[in-house]
C-alpha cells in the first residue's frame, strides 16, 4: 500500500511538472493578429494560470505589436534611403506605427510586471524581461514623435495619449537606460503636455507634468510661471491663499534670485491686503539688488494703486520708483504706461502754474509714446487715454495727434 501511495504521488508530481498551457493561453498564442490576441487576452485574463501564464500572454501580444512597429520602422528607413537615391517610396502607416509603439510599450510593461512575480514555489525567475526591456524602451521613445505629430494638428486627445504615456512611465525603472537620451527633450515635452492637460481640465496630470518640466533648466522659468498660475487658480479661501504664500515664501527664501517667486509673492501680498509684508519684501529686494527692474516696477505699481484711492496722494515716490524701473529697462509697455499715468496724475494736481503742469505732461508724453511704439496694438498696456491727455494739454484739442488719439479711443 505504501508503494502504491508513493507511486500515486510521483504520478501527481509528474503531471504537475509537465502541465501544459491552459486553453485560454493556447487560444491567445494561436492568434495571428495583435487585435485578435489582445481581445482574447483582455477577455480571458482571469482564466490564465498564474503570473507566469499572464507574462507569457503579454509577451506574445507585445511581440505582435513590435512586429508592426518594426515593419513600419523598416519602411520609414527605406523611404529615407529612397529619397537620397530618388527611388520610389513605399506607403507608410504613420498612425499604425505610433499605435504599435504605444501597444508594445503598455503590453511590454504588463509582461515585465507579471514576469517579476514569484512562481508557485515562491521563486522569481524572469523569463521575458531582459529581452523585452530594450525593445519597449525604443518603442516608448517614439511616443515623443507621436505626441508632436498630434500637437501639430491640435489633437488634444492624441497629444495626451502619447506624451502623457511617455511622461507617466518616466519614473519606471525599466526605462532607466533611456534617461540620458531623454535629457534633451524631456522638459519641453513635460511643459507642453502640462498645458494640454490643463486645457483638458486634467489638473492632477498638469501639475505632475509641470513638476517634471521644472527639473529642466531650459524651461524651468516658464514651467514655474505656469505652475504658479495653476496653483493660484485653485485658491478658494483666504486660508488657501495664506498657505500658498507660505509655499512661495519658502521657495523665495531658498532661491532669492528667482524672479517668478518674488513677483508671485508680491502679487499675493497685494491681493490679500498684506501691505506691511509687501513693502518689506520689496524694500529688502531693492536693498540687496538696487538695479532689479521687477522690484522697482512693483514698488511703483504699489504706490500708484495706493495714490489712486488716497485723499491726498503724493506721487513723487511713485514716479521716482517707476523712473528707476524704466532706466533699467525701457521696453516694458506696462511700466511705461504706469509712469505716464502717474506723471499725468501729479500734473493734474497743480493749480495756477500752467507751465509747470505742461512740462510734466511733456515728460509723460515721451514715456507714453515709447509705450505706443513697443505695444502699438495695446495688447499689454492701454496707453491711449493718458497719451490723449498729454496731446490735448500740450498741443490743444484740434491738433492732428490729439484728434487721432481721440478717434482711437472711440473704437
Amino acid at each position: 500500500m505504501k508503494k502504491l501511495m508513493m507511486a500515486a504521488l510521483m504520478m501527481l508530481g509528474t503531471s504537475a511538472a509537465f502541465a501544459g498551457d491552459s486553453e485560454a493561453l493556447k487560444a491567445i498564442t494561436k492568434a495571428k493578429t495583435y487585435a485578435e490576441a489582445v481581445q482574447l487576452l483582455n477577455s480571458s485574463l482571469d482564466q490564465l494560470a498564474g503570473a507566469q501564464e499572464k507574462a507569457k500572454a503579454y509577451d506574445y501580444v507585445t511581440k505582435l505589436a513590435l512586429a508592426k512597429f518594426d515593419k513600419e520602422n523598416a519602411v520609414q528607413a527605406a523611404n529615407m534611403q529612397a529619397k537620397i537615391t530618388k527611388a520610389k517610396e513605399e506607403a507608410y502607416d504613420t498612425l499604425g506605427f505610433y499605435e504599435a509603439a504605444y501597444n508594445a510599450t503598455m503590453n511590454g510593461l504588463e509582461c515585465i510586471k507579471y514576469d517579476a512575480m514569484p512562481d508557485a514555489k515562491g521563486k522569481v525567475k524572469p523569463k521575458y524581461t531582459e529581452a523585452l526591456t530594450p525593445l519597449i524602451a525604443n518603442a516608448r521613445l517614439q511616443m515623443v514623435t507621436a505626441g508632436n505629430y498630434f500637437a501639430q494638428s491640435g489633437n488634444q486627445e492624441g497629444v495626451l495619449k502619447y506624451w502623457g504615456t511617455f511622461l507617466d512611465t518616466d519614473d519606471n525603472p525599466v526605462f532607466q537606460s533611456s534617461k540620458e537620451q531623454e535629457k534633451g527633450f524631456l522638459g519641453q515635452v513635460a511643459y507642453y503636455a502640462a498645458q494640454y492637460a490643463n486645457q483638458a481640465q486634467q489638473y492632477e496630470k498638469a501639475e505632475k507634468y509641470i513638476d517634471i518640466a521644472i527639473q529642466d533648466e531650459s524651461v524651468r522659468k516658464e514651467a514655474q510661471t505656469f505652475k504658479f498660475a495653476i496653483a493660484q487658480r485653485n485658491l478658494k479661501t483666504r486660508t488657501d491663499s495664506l498657505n500658498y504664500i507660505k509655499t512661495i515664501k519658502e521657495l523665495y527664501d531658498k532661491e532669492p534670485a528667482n524672479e517668478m517667486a518674488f513677483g508671485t509673492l508680491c502679487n499675493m501680498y497685494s491681493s490679500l491686503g498684506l501691505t506691511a509684508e509687501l513693502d518689506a519684501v520689496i524694500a529688502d529686494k531693492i536693498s540687496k539688488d538696487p538695479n532689479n527692474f521687477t522690484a522697482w516696477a512693483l514698488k511703483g505699481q504699489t504706490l500708484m494703486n495706493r495714490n489712486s484711492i488716497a485723499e491726498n496722494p503724493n506721487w513723487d515716490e511713485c514716479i521716482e520708483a517707476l523712473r528707476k524701473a524704466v532706466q533699467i529697462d525701457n521696453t516694458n509697455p506696462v511700466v511705461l504706461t504706469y509712469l505716464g499715468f502717474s506723471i499725468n496724475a501729479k500734473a493734474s494736481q497743480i493749480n495756477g502754474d500752467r507751465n509747470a503742469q505742461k512740462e510734466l505732461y511733456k515728460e509723460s508724453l515721451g514715456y507714453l509714446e515709447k509705450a505706443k511704439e513697443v505695444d502699438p496694438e495695446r495688447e499689454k498696456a492701454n496707453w491711449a487715454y493718458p497719451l490723449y491727455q498729454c496731446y490735448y494739454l500740450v498741443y490743444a484739442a484740434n491738433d492732428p495727434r490729439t484728434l487721432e488719439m481721440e478717434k482711437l479711443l472711440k473704437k
Side-chain angles (χ1 to χ4, degrees), residues 94-366:
T94 304
L95 296 180
F97 177 65
Y98 294 147
E99 185 69 12
Y102 175 84
N103 292 335
T105 301
M106 301 309 292
N107 287 293
L109 286 174
E110 286 297 296
C111 174
I112 290 171
K113 179 182 77 175
Y114 287 113
D115 205 27
M117 293 182 180
D119 60 19
K121 296 180 180 180
K123 295 182 178 180
V124 177
K125 298 178 180 179
K127 186 175 180 182
Y128 310 103
T129 299
E130 184 177 354
L132 270 187
T133 296
L135 299 177
I136 66 170
N138 180 47
R140 173 179 170 268
L141 287 175
Q142 297 304 320
M143 283 191 277
V144 175
T145 309
N148 188 57
Y149 173 87
F150 285 102
Q152 289 177 358
S153 59
N155 187 319
Q156 185 182 81
E157 184 179 350
V159 170
L160 290 175
K161 174 179 178 177
Y162 289 102
W163 278 352
T165 300
F166 174 76
L167 295 166
D168 289 339
T169 57
D170 186 62
D171 58 354
N172 194 310
V174 171
F175 303 119
Q176 188 61 40
S177 61
S178 304
K179 291 294 184 183
E180 196 62 33
Q181 290 177 266
E182 296 175 14
K183 284 183 179 180
F185 53 80
L186 178 63
Q188 290 190 357
V189 170
Y191 174 64
Y192 290 112
Q195 295 188 26
Y196 276 96
N198 185 61
Q199 291 169 10
Q201 299 183 347
Q202 297 180 18
Y203 300 128
E204 288 187 11
K205 292 278 190 183
E207 291 182 14
K208 176 182 178 180
Y209 300 156
I210 209 63
D211 283 341
I212 294 174
I214 285 173
Q215 305 307 312
D216 187 335
E217 284 298 324
S218 68
V219 293
R220 189 166 187 266
K221 183 177 179 181
E222 296 89 342
Q224 279 193 331
T225 301
F226 190 61
K227 182 177 175 66
F228 293 157
I230 292 173
Q232 287 179 343
R233 182 198 60 227
N234 293 327
L235 301 178
K236 307 298 182 185
T237 66
R238 185 177 179 86
T239 300
D240 290 341
S241 298
L242 291 172
N243 289 334
Y244 179 60
I245 284 176
K246 184 179 178 181
T247 300
I248 300 301
K249 182 70 164 58
E250 289 173 355
L251 174 62
Y252 180 58
D253 289 343
K254 189 185 301 182
E255 301 179 18
N258 189 319
E259 292 294 300
M260 290 299 108
F262 171 67
T264 302
L265 187 60
C266 289
N267 288 335
M268 290 302 298
Y269 282 148
S270 177
S271 66
L272 294 181
L274 301 173
T275 56
E277 290 84 351
L278 175 61
D279 290 346
V281 73
I282 291 175
D284 180 69
K285 185 74 168 180
I286 289 174
S287 69
K288 293 176 179 176
D289 186 3
N291 289 314
N292 187 281
F293 168 80
T294 304
W296 285 111
L298 285 172
K299 180 177 180 178
Q301 179 186 350
T302 300
L303 293 171
M304 180 188 72
N305 291 337
R306 291 176 191 170
N307 280 327
S308 296
I309 59 175
E311 289 186 14
N312 299 299
N314 184 341
W315 290 96
D316 289 337
E317 187 180 4
C318 168
I319 292 170
E320 180 186 355
L322 291 170
R323 276 186 187 139
K324 181 64 177 177
V326 169
Q327 287 170 9
I328 297 168
D329 180 2
N330 70 344
T331 63
N332 187 302
V334 175
V335 177
L336 288 162
T337 301
Y338 285 167
L339 179 52
F341 170 86
S342 299
I343 295 173
N344 284 6
K346 179 181 177 179
S348 68
Q349 290 181 308
I350 298 175
N351 292 314
D353 192 341
R354 182 79 173 99
N355 289 332
Q357 190 179 50
K358 192 171 183 179
E359 286 304 310
L360 285 172
Y361 280 115
K362 284 182 179 179
E363 180 189 1
S364 174
L365 188 152

